[in-house]
Amino acid sequence: MRFTLPVTLLLTSLSLASTYGEEINFDYKKADLPIEKRVEVLLSQMTLEEKVKQLTQGLAGDNNNPNNQNPKVDKFDALLGSVIFGTDNVYERNAIQKQVMEKSRLGIPLLFGDDIIHGYRTMFPSPLAQSCSWNPSLIEESCRVAALEGKSAGIDWTFSPMIDIARDARWGRMMEGYGEDPYATSVYTRAAVRGYQGETMPYRMAACLKHYVAYGASEGGRDYAYTEVSRQTLWDTYLPPYEAGVEAGALTLMSGFNDISGIPATANHYTLTEVLRGKWDFRGFVVSDWHSMAQLQTHGFVADHAEAAAKSINAGLDMDMIDGIYPAHLANQVKEGNVSEKTIDESVARVLRVKFQLGLFDNPYTPVEEREKRYLLPEYRKAAYQSAVESMVLLKNDDKALPITNKIKNVALIGPLVKAKNDLMGGWSARGRAEDVIDIEEGLRKAAPKGMKIKYAQGCDINSDKTDRFAEAMEIARNSDIVILCVGESRGMSGENTSRSSLSLPGVQEQLIDEIAKTGKPVVLLVTSGRAISFHKIEPKVKSILMTWHLGTEAGNAIAALLFGNENPSGRLSITLPRTEGQIPIYYNMRSRGRRHQGFYQDISTDPMYWFGHGLSYTSYDYTDFKVSHNEFTASDNLTVSVNVRNTGEKTGKETVFLYMHDVAASITQPMKRLIGFEKVELKPNESKTVTFTLEPQKDMSFANDKGDKLLEPGKFVLMVDKHKKDVFLKK
Ligand code: GLC
C-alpha cells in the first residue's frame, strides 16, 4: 500500500489557508531567532490537521528500492512533513518544494529523504566492508562525500548509518552495518554522523540511526523475524552504538521492523521514550520503517490501524513512513481521548527542530548545478579507491602467492564476478551506475606489469546450475601460471529481505573451484559478498583468499593495486567468519562456557574459520614493550596502556592495534574478550611506533546491567594487545 491523498483532501487542506483567516505571526521565518523560539512560534499557530501532516511521510519521484515497490506518485499533499524522494531530479525536487512553500498556509518546507547507505553516485564499499578498514576517518569521508552528492541532488536526510549489531550471516542485512562489535560500531557511528551532518549548523544532511533497536538479532537470520533480547543484552550489545550516535548529535532515528521480546520496536515505549528521551535526552525525531506501523497489526500487537496510531505516537514514534496511518487516525484518536494533543505537539516540535537545524526554512531550495560538476569528482573517486583498498581483508596467503610479481607471465582471470559491475557495487547503491564502475578485468589490465598476459573466462553464472562454461575456464587455467578466481554473491543476495540458510557460494561456483584446483595451478580467490561465506570446503584448495566484499565504483582499481602489490592489504575482519552456518551464532566476544574443556562439536572444529580481527599483510609486525601504567588502580585513575609496533618486513603497511579487556569476575558474566580501543598506524619497513591508549575505568571498562547502569566492580581485569596480556586490579 502506498500513501497518497485523494485530490479532494488535497484541495481541502489547501483551502484551510483561506478560511482559517487569522493573522499569522511569521517570526518563525526569522533566521536570527533561536531555533527553540522559532519552533514555539510556529507550533503555536498550527492546526491539529497541520500538525498530523508534519508527522507524515509520503513518496515523490521513483523509488528504486526493489523490495518496496511503489508506482510513481504524481500527486502529493502540500502539508506533508517529508517525502522519500526516489530520483535525483533536482528540478522536480525544487518544484515540489515551491508548491509546499507557496501553497500551504504556513509554508513549512518539506524534508526530502532517501537511502544513501554507502555513497550516492560515487559508490563506496558496503558499510560492512568499510568497517574492516578500521579507519574511522575514511568512513567519515565516505559519508561526507555521499552527503555532498546527495545534497546536490536535493536530498536533506539519509536513512543511514545502519548500526545494527549482526552476528548471524544468514541475515542479509549484515552488509549494511559495521559488524559484530558494539565498541567498533560506536566509533564508526560517530564518524558517520560527523560525515553526513558536519559539525555546525545548518547541518549538511540529517543522519538517521537505524534500525532502532536489535533488528540484527532476527531469529534464524530470517529478516523481519522475532528478536528475543534480554534487557541486559539490549544494553551491553545493541544500544551502545545508538547512544554513541545520539551523543554525536544524530538528528533522527528509524525504528526497526522487529518485535523486541514481545513489544515491536515501532511502538516500544521503553526504547523510544524511557531510553531515548528519558536517559539520553534525544531531541530529534524517530521515523518508522516502511509499513512497520501497519505491521504492528501483523505482529498481533494492535487490533487495527487506529490502535497502531495511538500506540505508536504514545510510545514516542514521531513520523509515519508511508503508511498514512497518522493522517487517517491521529486526529480522531485525539478526539477519542486516546492521544493528547500535547503528545502530538512534542513530536511535531522534534520534526520542526530538525528542519530548522538543517536550515530548510532559510534555504528550502537546492542550487541547480550540472551533474558533471556534482558527481564522481576526482577527489570523490580517490576517496572511494582508498576506502576500497583498506576494506579488503587478506584471509589466507600461502607461499606468498600474493602479491603477483612480474615473474608471472600468464594470468587466468576467471569467475562470474570479474565483470559484474552492478554486483561489485552491492545492495543499497542509491544512484550508483554500473557504467561508472571499474570492474576487475579493467582494473587488472590497466595495472598489469608489461608483458603479462591476462586471459578471461566467466566459467559460470553467479547463481545457476549451468556448467557448460567450465571447459573454457579450465583451458585458460591450464595454460596459466596463476588463476585469479572471482566468486561470490550477486548484488541482490544481500541487503534487505535476502536471508539465506546456507553460507556456501551460490550456484556451481564451488564446483568450479574444485575443477580449477584440479589443474594444480595456484589459485587466488577473490570473494565479493555482503556476508560471511563458508570457506570450510574451499580453503584447502586455494593458495590465497581475499575478501573483497562489495567495493563500489573503484573496485577494479583497488583490487588490482592489492594483487600487484602497489598497495598492501590492511583490512581486518569486523565479523567472525564461521566454518559453516552450523556454528551460528558465533562471535569473538562470547562469554565462557562453564566447562571449557568440553562442549566441542563432534564433527568440525569449534573454532570459526577466521576470527574477528583476522587479516594478513604483505609485511609483518612485531609487538614489544607492552606496558600498563598501574598494576593496581582505583576508579578515578586513568590507565595508560602502550605497546611498540615495528614493521619487520620489506613493505610499508598499515597495522591496526587492538586493545581488548576481560573482566574476570563480575556480578554479570562478561565476554572473554571485549574490544575497548583500536588505532591504525602506518609503518615503513623497520619503522616502529608506540601506540598508547588512555583508559578511564568508569567509561571504558564498566559493563551495563539490565537498566543501563554502567557498573565497575573491584577485582581482576586482563588487558590484551596482540599476544601480550597483563593482569590489573581495581581496588575497592
Ligand atoms: C526499508 C528499510 C529501511 C529503509 C526504508 C526506506 O524497508 O528497512 O532500511 O531506509 O525502507 O527505503
Side-chain angles (χ1 to χ4, degrees), residues 590-659:
M590 291 185 280
R591 288 172 162 91
S592 172
R593 293 193 297 274
R595 289 185 174 194
R596 294 185 191 173
H597 63 294
Q598 288 178 312
F600 303 102
Y601 291 120
Q602 292 184 337
D603 53 342
I604 61 170
S605 161
T606 304
D607 282 340
M609 193 79 229
Y610 299 107
W611 279 109
F612 170 94
H614 173 74
L616 304 178
S617 169
Y618 294 152
T619 188
S620 50
Y621 302 97
D622 186 33
Y623 286 71
T624 55
D625 253 355
F626 178 55
K627 288 183 188 145
V628 180
S629 55
H630 298 65
N631 282 326
E632 291 194 348
F633 64 103
T634 66
S636 56
D637 292 320
N638 278 2
L639 290 183
T640 304
V641 184
S642 64
V643 69
N644 188 280
V645 194
R646 176 180 299 282
N647 178 344
T648 52
E650 281 110 51
K651 275 184 172 290
T652 296
K654 292 182 179 180
E655 171 69 343
T656 300
V657 178
F658 294 94
L659 172 61

Side-chain angles (χ1 to χ4, degrees), residues 65 68 115 159 173 210-211 254 257 289-290 428 496:
N65 176 347
N68 293 326
D115 289 292
F159 306 132
R173 303 202 76 166
K210 73 182 189 184
H211 305 78
M254 181 187 295
F257 287 120
D289 199 342
W290 192 287
W428 293 108
E496 185 175 353

Side-chain angles (χ1 to χ4, degrees), residues 24 68 71 73 153 201 246 265 326 470 490 499 627 655:
I24 294 175
N68 293 326
V73 173
M201 278 190 277
V246 166
Y326 277 180
F470 276 23
S490 67
S499 301
K627 288 183 188 145
E655 171 69 343

Side-chain angles (χ1 to χ4, degrees), residues 653-674:
K654 292 182 179 180
E655 171 69 343
T656 300
V657 178
F658 294 94
L659 172 61
Y660 294 98
M661 68 165 256
H662 175 40
D663 184 343
V664 174
S667 57
I668 297 172
T669 56
Q670 292 301 301
M672 301 287 285
K673 213 174 160 186
R674 186 181 121 200

Side-chain angles (χ1 to χ4, degrees), residues 539-553:
E539 191 274 343
K541 299 166 186 163
V542 299
K543 287 281 184 196
S544 304
I545 302 175
L546 181 65
M547 278 308 284
T548 58
W549 312 110
H550 292 290
L551 292 176
T553 308

Side-chain angles (χ1 to χ4, degrees), residues 24 33 65 231 316 349 395 407 419 422 494 586:
I24 294 175
L33 225 56
N65 176 347
R231 281 284 169 86
L395 299 176
K407 288 198 201 72
K419 303 182 69 58
N422 194 39
S494 62
I586 186 165

Side-chain angles (χ1 to χ4, degrees), residues 358-418:
L358 289 169
L360 279 179
F361 281 85
D362 314 315
N363 295 295
Y365 303 108
T366 302
V368 177
E369 277 187 284
E370 291 321 306
R371 278 193 171 85
E372 295 59 48
K373 295 200 185 91
R374 300 186 277 127
Y375 294 156
L376 295 160
L377 305 184
E379 62 177 289
Y380 295 172
R381 274 192 173 270
K382 188 163 172 284
Y385 166 84
Q386 192 58 35
S387 179
V389 164
E390 299 200 30
S391 299
M392 285 183 268
V393 185
L394 183 58
L395 299 176
K396 176 181 185 183
N397 193 29
D398 285 358
D399 309 332
K400 296 195 174 175
L402 289 178
I404 295 171
T405 65
N406 52 18
K407 288 198 201 72
I408 297 282
K409 296 301 174 207
N410 297 292
V411 173
L413 179 59
I414 297 169
L417 273 299
V418 173

